[in-house]
Amino acid sequence: MKSISFILNGEPVVVNAYPIERLLDVLRTRFSLTSIKEGCGEGECGACAVFLNGELVTSCLIPIGQVAGQRIDTLESHRYQKIKERLEKAFLVHNASQCGFCTPGMMMAALELARKIENPTRQQIKEAISGNLCRCTGYVRIVEAIFEALNKE
Ligand code: FES
Ligand code: FES
């Protein structure tokens, strides 16, 4: 085991872990950050998305050793509070979350999109969530929810 330090949601943290342990597991089990889900475990479904130094990554593919000295942000971060509230409201209104398993990953993709493009089109939203799988709702309601949340009247 090694002592690994990094910045998590704006706070310095230290964890004792094997460097090969997956970031996904460390964040869920040691920090109780349960917005991060394990879907495929192979980098294909987007359910485990986090920001690593501001870039969207799949935490199931990142060994914790790689995160030493880096910055990790998850959906729990207060940094995204305002846009998160808009997303939550829109997902509720459009009934875009059924089992909800994919929802945090979808929201992370939406946060990434909001940072890059103001008032995105439905096509841009579809492209932004193309790495996220939903097994329940299909994508129409999800796209509508994100469209509403990210487009300012
Ligand atoms: S669990 Fe990481 S991408 Fe599916
Ligand atoms: S709401 Fe169930 S996987 Fe998307």
Side-chain angles (χ1 to χ4, degrees), residues 113 120-129 143 146-147 151:
L113 177 63
T121 63
R122 287 178 177 80
Q123 185 55 37
Q124 287 168 326
I125 292 167
K126 284 182 195 169
E127 285 162 19
I129 62 168
V143 170
I146 296 175
F147 183 81
N151 278 272

Side-chain angles (χ1 to χ4, degrees), residues 67-133:
V67 164
Q70 311 298 310
R71 197 179 83 238
I72 295 291
D73 289 292
T74 72
L75 195 60
E76 284 86 352
S77 170
H78 294 305
R79 182 190 298 240
Y80 314 116
Q81 201 55 34
K82 214 167 159 194
I83 181 79
K84 225 165 53 179
E85 280 168 15
R86 290 175 67 93
L87 282 164
E88 281 166 3
K89 191 168 161 216
F91 267 68
L92 199 64
V93 167
H94 290 275
N95 201 16
S97 177
Q98 287 189 32
C99 79
F101 196 82
C102 70
T103 305
M106 292 288 183
M107 287 189 181
M108 289 296 283
L111 291 178
E112 166 98 326
L113 177 63
R115 270 200 329 220
K116 290 182 175 166
I117 300 175
E118 210 178 333
N119 299 327
T121 63
R122 287 178 177 80
Q123 185 55 37
Q124 287 168 326
I125 292 167
K126 284 182 195 169
E127 285 162 19
I129 62 168
S130 61
N132 296 72
L133 298 182

Side-chain angles (χ1 to χ4, degrees), residues 13-26:
V13 295
V14 184
V15 69
N16 283 323
Y18 295 106
I20 196 73
E21 283 183 64
R22 300 182 307 174
L23 176 60
L24 162 70
D25 299 320
V26 172

Side-chain angles (χ1 to χ4, degrees), residues 3-19:
S3 183
I4 296 164
S5 310
F6 59 104
I7 306 294
L8 179 57
N9 291 337
E11 299 289 333
V13 295
V14 184
V15 69
N16 283 323
Y18 295 106

